[in-house]
Every structure is written in C-alpha cells, then in structure tokens.
Amino acid sequence: MAEAKSNKVNMKTLAKVLNVSIATISKALRDSHDIGEETKQRVIETAKLLHYVPNPYASSLRKRSSNTIAIIIPEIADSFFSQAINGIESIVGQEKYHALIYLTHDSYEREAQMFNDLSSGRVDGVLMSVASNTKDIKHIQELQQAGVPIVFFDRVCEDIPTAKIKTDDFNSAYMATKHLLEQGCKNISLVTIEGYPSILQAREGGYKKALTEHQVKSKEENIISCSNKYNQENIAVLKEHITTVKPDGIIATVEHLATTTYLACEELKLNIPNDIKVVCFTNQITAAILNPPLTTVLQPAYDMGRKAAELLFGHLAGKPIQLEKENITLPSKLIVRDSTRATD
Amino acid sequence: MAEAKSNKVNMKTLAKVLNVSIATISKALRDSHDIGEETKQRVIETAKLLHYVPNPYASSLRKRSSNTIAIIIPEIADSFFSQAINGIESIVGQEKYHALIYLTHDSYEREAQMFNDLSSGRVDGVLMSVASNTKDIKHIQELQQAGVPIVFFDRVCEDIPTAKIKTDDFNSAYMATKHLLEQGCKNISLVTIEGYPSILQAREGGYKKALTEHQVKSKEENIISCSNKYNQENIAVLKEHITTVKPDGIIATVEHLATTTYLACEELKLNIPNDIKVVCFTNQITAAILNPPLTTVLQPAYDMGRKAAELLFGHLAGKPIQLEKENITLPSKLIVRDSTRATD
DNA sequence: ACAGTTTAAGTAAACGTTTAAGCAAATAAA
DNA sequence: TTTATTTGCTTAAACGTTTACTTAAACTGT
C-alpha cells in the first residue's frame, strides 16, 4: 500500500507561504493579466522552490479536459504499430499531452468496453486502428457524439465521419502484383487474413486490377486466408496451398506472414525466387538480410502516426480543422530485393 | 474545439431520477453494506439504463489514487519492448488499470522531466526501463520517496531499492561466447553500444569469463562500441573493425546490430558462418529466415513485462510484497541456428 | 474634486466523486 | 417495556483546481 506522502505541496501551501489567496496562485501560474508582475514572479519562484506540481486530476475535473489522449490499437507485436506509436509520441510529447495505450487484441468486445470507459471524459481525443472483426460501430459513434474527437489511422472505419489516415493499399498491392507479373510470374497467390476489410479488400482490389490489366484471370483459389497470429498452423496451411495451387509468386499482406511464407517454402525445398517469388507488406529492417533479401511494401508507419496525431491535436487546439473532411493517404514504397529477382 | 457534450449523466442525475441522495448512489455502486439490497439493484439498473460511467478524475481526486500506471521506456522500435508491453498490458487490462506510455528516447533530461510530472499523483505506480545515459538518479529517488512504487525491468537501476526484473545477461553472454568458442572461434568481438551499464557490463562480464575459461585472452580492441541507432554509420564502424581486428566471431549485444552486422559482412564479402560467426541478442521472429538463419539470445520479454506488472499490482493491491526484496532474474535462451554452424 | 477606469488582488462556487458523521426507524436484547 | 443495536439512508465536507464575480485602491481625465 505504501503511502509515504511527503506532505504534498499544493496551491494552498503556496498561498499560505506567500500570504496571498489561492486564486492568486492559480492565476499567477497561468500567467493571468489579473496578477501583478512582481507577485507572479514571487509565486513562480516559490512554486519552483517547493517543487510544486499541479494535481492533474483536480485540474481535469474543473476544466473538463484532461490533456490526455487514448491510443487504441489491435496489438503491438509488429514493427508497423511500433513505428506508428513513435510517430504519435513525437507529437504527444511536444504538446505536453499524455497518452494512454490500449490493446484490443483484435477483439470487438474489448474495443467496445474501452470505448465505454472513455465516455467518462477520461481523454480529450482518440487515435485508433480498429479491431479486425469490428462490424458494429455503435460504440465509436456514441463516443463521437459525446464530443470526443477520433482520428483513425491505417485500420480505419469508413462509416464514421472523421479524419482517416491511410496508406494507398490498393495501389501498393497493384504495384506489388504488377512487379511480380513483370518478373515473369503467371500464377500469383495473395495470402491474407480474416478481418480488416478496409485494408485487405483494397489490397485484394489492387491485386486483381493488376492481374486483369495483364490479362491474367484471377482465380478464387489463389486467395488464401491465414490466422492473424504467428503460428505453426499457418505454415501448414500455406504448404498445403502451395503444393496444390502451385503459385509462382506470393504476396503476403501482413507482416508476420513473411516468416511463415519463407519457412513454408524452405520446408517444401522451394527456392525463392527461382521457384517462387515473394513480396510482403512489412516494415522490418531485417528484410534486407533475409535469405534471400525480401522485396517489401514499406508502409509510412511513423508518418501515419504523426499525421494522425497532428490532426487530432490541431483540432483540440481549436485550429479550424474539419476532421470529417480529412482523408489522407500516404504512399507506401515498393522496395525491390532479391526475393522477386527475375529468373531466366 | 468540438464540445458536443450530450448532457452527461452523473451521480446527481441518478440521484434525482431515483429520488435518493448522491451518497446513496455512490455507495450502491460500490456495493456498500450501508445500502439495502433493493435500492442497490434499482441504482445499478438505472445506471446501466442511462449509460452512467463514473468520472475517473473526480474519483481520483477524492480517493487520491488514479488506477493508472506509467510505462517509461527508452523506445519502442524493437521487438523487445513491444513484447514487454504486451506482457504488461496482459496484467493492466485484467486489473482494470490504465497505462500511460512515455518514451524517453534514451534522454536523461526527458526522463527526469517525466518523473517530475509524475510526482503530481498522476499515477499509482511506475514500470520502467531506465534511459541509457541516466546516471543521476535523484528524480527516481524523489518519486519513490513521494510514495510512488517503481518496478524496473530489463534496464534496471541498481542503486534504487525496489523490485527489479532482469534477464541473466551475464550468463547468456557467457553461453553465447562459450558457444562460439566451441564452434571453433578464436577471436571473438563483442559489439556493444554506449550506456545501459547494468546490462551491457554484465554481458561484457559473461563474455570475458567464457574467454578466460577457454584460456583466451580478452583484448580491448575486441570490444567495439556503436551508436544506439540503426544507421549507416554503424555499418562503416563495424566494417572498419572487422577489417582491422579480423574477428572470426561476433556477438551483437542489441537487436538492431543484427542487421548492421549482416550488412557489414555482406559488403565485405564475408561468409557467415564460414568466415565469421554471429550471435545476436534479439527477439525478432525473422531470425529464423535470415541469410543465414541467426543464432540468437532470446530474451523473455513478454514474461519480464508481465512479471514486473504482477509485482507492481500485487503491491498496489496491498499484498505483502516487499518490492525492495524482489530481484528476479528470468533466463534467456540461446537458440542455435546456422550463423554459428561449425565449419570444418 | 469627482466620476470613471484600470489594476491587483480576494471570495466563493463549481467540477463529480467519496466518506465520516449523523439520524430515524426497525429490530434485538434485557 | 425500556435500552441497545442494526439497518438504510441523508448531510455535508473534502479532494485541488479554475473562474465568475466582487472589491478596494490607484490612477485618469475633466
């Protein structure tokens, strides 16, 4: 329980020491015009001397704002969200805000419960990537109607009228597919997972468009769904797929599928890129030193987080930003490496 | 500024609706013995009906506790801290606590400033990994003396009497070095970075012990220091080192040095493991699919985060845990892969 | 000299909870 | 039957800020 509490110094303490009213302390510290220059200095000095730190909860209660935001994301296992958080933090820190972090583990129930809690006024705004299986969006709507601004990044919810920071999923999948076709692939499979319709459908769309443009008919059997967890089972699923469908190119649409794909190929004694070429959506720096170096679609994770935070804080600061009009797409980059090298 | 505020329902509202006092509402919701069973039910029912959610800041102010902890870590770029956060979150969520996340970017100044802020009573406890260059620990001592419990994980501060969750850095470096020696290495270099004395000195110690046991004299020139950022410069530093010192084994003591080491070897046209063998302290799942698969020291990141959180929450819950007596070491695992395969 | 304004404070209410203290009615003990 | 005790509720103060309103003194201009 540990309650040492070294006689906390608060405004009352300062007021007593300086023989002025509490209001004077408060106003002096907030640099109000009401207070004389000399008094202000005395207050600031004594506050520093006594290590006064304002109680955020009293302040939040009175002001009805918390200088705190929530970051709600599915997980933090991979490099995308790590980098996005870094981007967010770069703004949060600078703005003297505080960030609460919540992981939904892609569970709708947890997400809904978190939103329920947030309707208490705990945060001034929310930055979020929605859970994979979130279909009912009432919880999000309710928080928004309660006046809490929300900015989506990456895994956006199209039906909520607010700012959305995305990457060009359609186009980057299109480019990845086109790249594989140009490297000679004729039978390209798309490895995907359940959920995240706004993203994965776009990627599927870009994939199909590239195929169509190259007069390749896209077949249902080429689209394969894995579990959204890194596990052995996915390797088996993929091996099964590869042996039956025999693709000569694979696009792995999420980070952890890179390792899965490589291991599946290895177990099947398939050579990348000779027998099969691989592209993956991933931000991992190790892509360059894989066996072989992996061609990746690199997403602007840091920038997405940063941009989302900028919009939210701009809005909170009262700048004339209409969140519902902000729909920003930042480009991903196709980084070509040996895993898709043309074989002749 | 967006202040929609849909007439928030608070205890006053409920009291009015049910025609009882506010105190009755409060006590009913906290299941106090003071309140009759029937009244309790009516209160709970109406609260649910009107979507009442308690104001956390009013509650925190009055109770002088926030149900919130701070996670203070250097960064979140790599898999270690990602996994540790997952471990922490697994407890935080279950205990209905909230987690504020702060990144120090390994800056002492930022860390000190964060601690200063936390002395306001913003959090009930702190989980932290100290910044690389933190030497002056006054800020930590002061927070602790103010009655805020602190639990360290991984990058601990030995001079603060409180719980510390570490991994066996000395022993795992010892094992890694021994492994390299057994694979035939005669000239092993340790690649390290500035800072983190509690960890990196232990790893250096384990490294030296293994050398001594194998009658190999450890030379100063074999210990090389890189920048704690993933960048091109480190590759140059490492190349320079390898060409002059010509090690036949390398131990990279932090995650991002894996990619650096591989790229340096590649640029020097050195074959791993034939020309040089490599071990790295890293948790990345891609280690298995690198070229060649990388022998790693896998740290129990998730478990460390989880254990740290367990201790903190146990203490906060009033369990008889003497934090200053908790000094837990969780074992790392040496995962042998091709990057250290013996060559004959 | 006097009304009007400006300056530099102070007073007190409010934010939404929690809880110690009080109190009337019902129940138990004597 | 009287006295304690328990039950179920209310009152009001407190947590530490912020801020609308008041006030007194010091200027300003005429």
Side-chain angles (χ1 to χ4, degrees):
Chain A
M1 297 242 75
E3 230 71 294
K5 86 173 65 104
S6 54
N7 291 341
K8 284 254 28 93
V9 22
N10 53 26
M11 291 193 166
K12 206 163 153 188
T13 321
L14 295 183
K16 208 164 281 173
V17 169
L18 288 171
N19 204 34
V20 294
S21 75
I22 293 180
T24 302
I25 303 291
S26 177
K27 290 180 190 167
L29 292 175
R30 330 192 89 237
D31 202 21
S32 156
H33 272 302
D34 270 10
I35 307 297
E37 206 45 56
E38 197 218 359
T39 316
K40 263 185 204 169
Q41 288 313 318
R42 286 201 308 141
V43 171
I44 290 169
E45 218 169 86
T46 326
K48 189 165 285 174
L49 205 66
L50 302 186
H51 294 111
Y52 168 69
V53 184
N55 182 310
Y57 296 135
S59 179
S60 294
L61 176 58
R62 174 60 228 238
K63 292 201 299 182
R64 304 163 132 275
S65 83
S66 60
N67 268 241
T68 303
I69 64 156
I71 302 173
I72 303 182
I73 54 179
E75 53 179 357
I76 202 176
D78 62 24
S79 58
F80 178 82
F81 283 116
S82 297
Q83 291 172 21
I85 290 177
N86 266 301
I88 292 170
E89 196 270 349
S90 72
I91 304 288
V92 171
Q94 160 191 319
E95 300 279 340
K96 309 229 163 141
Y97 263 72
H98 299 259
L100 287 164
I101 187 161
Y102 297 97
L103 307 183
T104 61
H105 297 285
D106 270 325
S107 149
Y108 162 72
E109 285 72 25
R110 292 197 218 203
E111 188 179 278
Q113 204 179 314
M114 287 164 186
F115 268 75
N116 182 52
D117 176 275
L118 293 186
S119 72
S120 61
R122 192 185 288 278
V123 297
D124 297 345
V126 173
L127 293 174
M128 95 173 290
S129 265
V130 299
S132 63
N133 58 347
T134 292
K135 298 205 168 102
D136 184 352
I137 57 170
K138 207 166 55 192
H139 58 296
I140 307 181
Q141 291 173 323
E142 279 174 5
L143 191 65
Q144 195 184 28
Q145 274 152 29
V148 179
I150 301 168
V151 173
F152 291 110
F153 66 98
D154 197 51
R155 296 156 193 206
V156 309
C157 184
E158 295 293 352
D159 296 336
I160 303 280
T162 189
K164 299 177 185 76
I165 317 293
K166 293 181 283 193
T167 184
D168 54 346
D169 291 292
F170 185 96
N171 193 245
S172 50
Y174 168 77
M175 297 203 319
T177 312
K178 192 160 162 245
H179 170 67
L180 283 179
L181 289 164
E182 285 167 1
Q183 300 302 102
C185 293
K186 309 248 180 276
N187 185 23
I188 302 171
S189 287
L190 189 78
V191 190
T192 182
I193 54 169
E194 297 285 320
Y196 303 133
S198 77
I199 290 183
L200 296 178
Q201 276 172 25
R203 292 183 187 172
E204 198 174 316
Y207 159 81
K208 285 181 175 166
K209 181 186 174 202
L211 290 184
T212 310
E213 276 189 10
H214 280 68
Q215 281 89 40
V216 178
K217 210 170 82 205
S218 74
K219 291 167 292 181
E220 267 311 309
E221 57 171 15
N222 274 117
I223 297 181
I224 171 180
S225 184
C226 283
S227 141
N228 188 20
K229 271 212 285 267
Y230 175 67
N231 59 28
Q232 286 300 115
E233 209 187 307
N234 283 339
I235 299 182
V237 171
L238 209 55
K239 277 165 74 177
E240 163 72 14
H241 174 84
I242 293 172
T243 45
T244 58
V245 179
K246 302 196 189 307
D248 56 4
I250 281 194
I251 300 176
T253 56
V254 301
E255 184 147 321
H256 67 269
L257 291 174
T259 304
T260 306
T261 307
Y262 268 53
L263 290 176
C265 290
E266 187 184 303
E267 291 183 18
L268 292 172
K269 313 264 184 235
L270 290 176
N271 177 276
I272 303 172
N274 290 336
D275 301 324
I276 190 168
K277 305 192 198 314
V278 179
V279 186
C280 180
F281 282 74
T282 177
N283 282 37
Q284 293 187 97
I285 60 169
T286 50
I289 57 168
L290 297 189
N291 181 24
L294 173 63
T295 295
T296 59
V297 174
L298 187 70
Q299 296 178 264
Y302 182 90
D303 291 332
M304 288 171 76
R306 196 176 159 93
K307 187 71 200 171
E310 275 173 1
L311 281 181
L312 181 61
F313 285 115
H315 177 78
L316 289 173
K319 286 191 199 146
I321 296 176
Q322 292 201 278
L323 287 183
E324 68 277 14
K325 299 239 170 102
E326 300 284 347
N327 204 330
I328 296 174
T329 301
L330 300 177
S332 287
K333 259 209 291 230
L334 181 72
I335 314 271
V336 177
R337 297 199 185 86
D338 284 357
S339 69
T340 56
R341 189 169 14 93
T343 47
D344 35 26
Chain B
M1 295 243 77
E3 231 71 292
K5 86 174 67 107
S6 55
N7 291 343
K8 284 254 26 93
V9 24
N10 52 27
M11 291 195 165
K12 205 163 154 189
T13 321
L14 295 183
K16 208 164 282 172
V17 168
L18 288 170
N19 204 34
V20 294
S21 75
I22 293 180
T24 302
I25 303 291
S26 176
K27 290 179 185 170
L29 291 174
R30 330 193 89 238
D31 201 22
S32 155
H33 274 301
D34 269 11
I35 307 298
E37 207 46 55
E38 196 217 0
T39 316
K40 264 185 205 170
Q41 289 312 318
R42 286 202 306 140
V43 171
I44 291 169
E45 217 170 85
T46 326
K48 189 165 285 174
L49 205 67
L50 301 186
H51 294 112
Y52 168 71
V53 184
N55 182 310
Y57 297 134
S59 179
S60 294
L61 176 59
R62 174 61 227 239
K63 292 201 298 181
R64 304 163 134 277
S65 83
S66 60
N67 268 241
T68 303
I69 64 155
I71 301 173
I72 302 182
I73 53 178
E75 53 179 358
I76 203 176
D78 62 26
S79 58
F80 178 81
F81 283 115
S82 297
Q83 291 172 22
I85 290 178
N86 266 300
I88 293 170
E89 196 270 348
S90 72
I91 304 288
V92 172
Q94 158 191 322
E95 300 278 341
K96 309 231 163 139
Y97 263 73
H98 300 259
L100 287 164
I101 187 163
Y102 298 96
L103 307 184
T104 61
H105 297 285
D106 270 325
S107 149
Y108 162 73
E109 284 73 25
R110 293 197 217 203
E111 187 179 279
Q113 205 179 314
M114 288 164 186
F115 269 76
N116 182 52
D117 176 274
L118 292 185
S119 72
S120 62
R122 191 184 289 278
V123 297
D124 297 344
V126 173
L127 293 175
M128 93 173 291
S129 264
V130 299
S132 63
N133 59 348
T134 292
K135 294 192 175 114
D136 183 353
I137 57 169
K138 207 166 54 193
H139 58 297
I140 307 181
Q141 290 173 323
E142 279 175 4
L143 191 65
Q144 195 183 29
Q145 273 152 29
V148 179
I150 301 169
V151 173
F152 292 110
F153 67 98
D154 197 52
R155 297 159 192 204
V156 310
C157 183
E158 295 293 353
D159 296 336
I160 304 280
T162 189
K164 300 177 185 75
I165 317 294
K166 293 182 282 193
T167 183
D168 53 347
D169 291 291
F170 185 96
N171 193 246
S172 50
Y174 169 77
M175 295 202 323
T177 313
K178 193 162 161 242
H179 170 68
L180 283 178
L181 289 163
E182 285 166 0
Q183 299 303 99
C185 293
K186 308 248 179 279
N187 184 24
I188 302 171
S189 286
L190 188 77
V191 190
T192 182
I193 54 169
E194 298 285 321
Y196 302 134
S198 77
I199 290 183
L200 296 178
Q201 276 172 25
R203 292 184 186 170
E204 198 175 314
Y207 159 81
K208 285 180 176 168
K209 181 185 174 204
L211 291 184
T212 310
E213 277 189 10
H214 280 70
Q215 281 88 40
V216 177
K217 210 173 80 206
S218 74
K219 293 166 292 180
E220 265 313 308
E221 58 171 14
N222 273 118
I223 297 181
I224 170 179
S225 183
C226 283
S227 140
N228 189 20
K229 270 211 286 266
Y230 175 68
N231 58 27
Q232 286 299 115
E233 208 185 308
N234 284 340
I235 299 182
V237 170
L238 209 54
K239 277 165 73 178
E240 165 72 13
H241 174 83
I242 293 172
T243 45
T244 58
V245 178
K246 302 196 188 310
D248 56 4
I250 280 193
I251 300 176
T253 57
V254 302
E255 184 147 320
H256 67 268
L257 291 175
T259 305
T260 305
T261 307
Y262 269 53
L263 290 176
C265 290
E266 187 186 304
E267 291 182 19
L268 293 171
K269 313 263 184 238
L270 291 175
N271 177 275
I272 305 172
N274 292 336
D275 301 325
I276 189 168
K277 304 192 199 315
V278 179
V279 185
C280 181
F281 282 74
T282 177
N283 283 37
Q284 294 187 99
I285 60 169
T286 50
I289 56 169
L290 297 189
N291 181 23
L294 173 64
T295 294
T296 59
V297 174
L298 187 70
Q299 296 179 263
Y302 181 90
D303 291 333
M304 288 171 76
R306 195 176 160 92
K307 188 70 198 168
E310 275 173 0
L311 281 181
L312 180 60
F313 286 115
H315 177 78
L316 288 174
K319 287 191 198 145
I321 296 176
Q322 291 201 277
L323 287 184
E324 69 277 14
K325 299 238 171 104
E326 300 286 347
N327 204 331
I328 296 173
T329 301
L330 300 177
S332 287
K333 259 208 293 230
L334 181 72
I335 314 271
V336 177
R337 296 200 185 86
D338 285 358
S339 69
T340 56
R341 190 169 13 94
T343 44
D344 36 27

